[in-house]
Amino acid sequence: MEMKYFRFLFGEIGQCFVHLGELKDTRTGKHFTFLYLRKAERHVDQMKGTEHRLFLCPEKIDLFVLGQSGISEDRELEEFLRKTAIKTLVLPQESRGDFCLPVKAEEIIKIGASKEKAYRMEGAGWCFCAARCSESSLMMLYGPGRKEEFEDCVMSVKAADSSRRCFRESCPDEYGCALGCRLHQDYDECKYQRRERTASGKTVNFGATALLLPAVPDSEAWALIEEFQKELGGFRFLGIPDMKEHMEQLERRLCTSEAGYRQYFIGMGTELSDSTIAEVNRGGLQRRMAVLRPGEGLCCSGFLKYAANEG
């Protein structure tokens, strides 16, 4: 069987929201890793000595998107990225501070008002877009491309913490971690939904699409989000800052879980207010509010199976 395997991890390191993804396509043999990083809008002191072992950082990251440039040196982040080679680094043109982390990239792309406002690329058959969200911040959107047809998709979404050995660590070159989690953990299992229209007329495909927001999007950013949504379908994973007053706009503009599909709203516990969490949960039982704390995260792993007549 020919598959597109994927693994996503959401967590917190050094006062930053971190999202690490890994893709592998057995048909093409392509492998792709990506990282999204943004600082907390409102951070409070956290426990000292929190380890970043929740993340198993690869030796090479193909795409590194920096949500905001004003990220100062941090011991945990430095250690996390110390031995990692970056192929493409995308960061905002306008920033409130310098990017001080000691990383080297083969290619650096700046996005801003006076430059290109979006950067698109493809990795292992997935579509990625890093775009201006608001002044001095970048959002990231991604999902499986529409060039291929899949007959099945299964993914598991579960809690992850540094006290439990990740099954990915026990088989770093294989993809048996999903099986290990199936045997030893309790989690949400999500099945593939083909592209279809909901009652509101929106096209949805909640396979494994994601939208990561560092701030409330401006009008230009909303236009791009809606364009991307039409292209790839609705978003299953939404990385959000504290934005209770903007939840109505978020719900109106994005494909929601009206068709019964689960959606995951993910944010850092150091910045999410109780009112934002309550507003998400009031939207229905299909919504999952994931609050990230130091040493705790959300892990998603699974596969898309190529259709038999594809290729």
Side-chain angles (χ1 to χ4, degrees):
M1 292 186 294
E2 294 177 317
M3 305 283 194
K4 279 184 180 294
Y5 290 100
F6 56 84
R7 180 180 298 102
F8 309 134
L9 188 60
F10 300 86
E12 177 181 356
I13 297 177
Q15 306 179 16
C16 289
F17 174 96
V18 183
H19 175 43
L20 180 66
E22 185 178 13
L23 311 170
K24 184 175 182 180
D25 192 313
T26 62
R27 168 175 288 183
T28 63
K30 292 182 178 179
H31 182 260
F32 189 84
T33 55
F34 61 92
L35 176 67
Y36 178 83
L37 189 71
R38 73 164 177 84
K39 63 181 178 181
E41 288 296 318
R42 185 183 72 247
H43 187 79
V44 297
D45 289 337
Q46 59 180 331
M47 290 189 304
K48 301 297 182 182
T50 301
E51 297 182 350
H52 67 268
R53 292 183 185 177
L54 177 64
F55 288 86
L56 300 171
C57 194
E59 294 182 357
K60 182 176 182 180
I61 293 176
D62 296 288
L63 175 64
F64 183 1
V65 178
L66 195 64
Q68 297 113 330
S69 306
I71 296 178
S72 59
E73 295 183 30
D74 181 271
R75 180 185 58 80
E76 289 179 287
L77 282 172
E78 287 182 10
E79 185 180 352
F80 175 60
L81 296 168
R82 182 167 52 89
K83 296 181 179 180
T84 302
I86 310 297
K87 185 174 182 181
T88 301
L89 172 63
V90 184
L91 68 164
Q93 177 191 13
E94 304 94 351
S95 64
R96 300 172 186 169
D98 295 328
F99 179 50
C100 300
L101 295 178
V103 300
K104 295 181 179 180
E106 297 177 18
E107 178 184 26
I108 298 178
I109 297 172
K110 291 188 176 182
I111 297 175
S114 62
K115 288 181 173 288
E116 293 293 331
K117 297 179 182 179
Y119 171 75
R120 289 176 177 261
M121 71 173 299
E122 183 177 294
W126 292 61
C127 297
F128 292 85
C129 179
R132 183 177 179 274
C133 179
S134 60
E135 184 180 357
S136 72
S137 70
L138 299 182
M139 61 184 177
M140 180 170 159
L141 315 87
Y142 68 82
R146 301 189 69 168
K147 295 180 181 178
E148 300 126 337
E149 291 293 331
F150 305 101
E151 65 182 28
D152 194 12
C153 173
V154 176
M155 65 181 175
S156 57
V157 183
K158 61 271 184 186
D161 64 67
S162 55
S163 66
R164 288 182 290 185
R165 181 182 176 90
C166 177
F167 292 98
R168 172 71 168 117
E169 186 178 3
S170 62
C171 49
D173 298 321
E174 300 296 336
Y175 286 80
C177 68
L179 177 60
C181 286
R182 179 181 296 273
L183 295 175
H184 298 285
Q185 293 191 37
D186 195 11
Y187 59 86
D188 288 349
E189 183 174 297
C190 304
K191 299 295 182 67
Y192 185 71
Q193 292 82 33
R194 296 185 180 275
R195 287 173 179 42
E196 59 185 69
R197 290 198 172 274
T198 65
S200 64
K202 297 177 181 178
T203 300
V204 300
N205 173 22
F206 286 154
T209 50
L211 167 62
L212 307 174
L213 297 173
V216 178
D218 58 24
S219 57
E220 291 184 353
W222 275 121
L224 191 146
I225 291 170
E226 291 172 340
E227 175 188 341
F228 197 90
Q229 182 172 240
K230 291 178 182 177
E231 180 182 342
L232 295 181
F235 298 104
R236 183 182 284 273
F237 299 98
L238 297 119
I240 60 171
D242 192 43
M243 54 190 306
K244 174 185 179 297
E245 64 273 23
H246 302 281
M247 285 302 299
E248 182 179 346
Q249 184 178 197
L250 192 71
E251 295 166 2
R252 186 177 71 253
R253 291 175 178 265
L254 299 181
C255 289
T256 60
S257 56
E258 60 184 277
Y261 308 148
R262 291 174 183 167
Q263 271 186 307
Y264 297 86
F265 292 75
I266 307 164
M268 294 168 60
T270 50
E271 65 178 348
L272 286 175
S273 64
D274 291 342
S275 57
T276 295
I277 296 172
E279 192 69 21
V280 171
N281 290 332
R282 271 197 291 266
L285 294 176
Q286 294 301 325
R287 290 186 179 181
R288 299 289 196 269
M289 183 73 243
V291 180
L292 305 177
R293 297 178 176 85
E296 299 178 356
L298 188 73
C299 178
C300 169
S301 61
F303 62 85
L304 290 92
K305 179 183 177 183
Y306 278 104
N309 58 352
E310 172 69 13

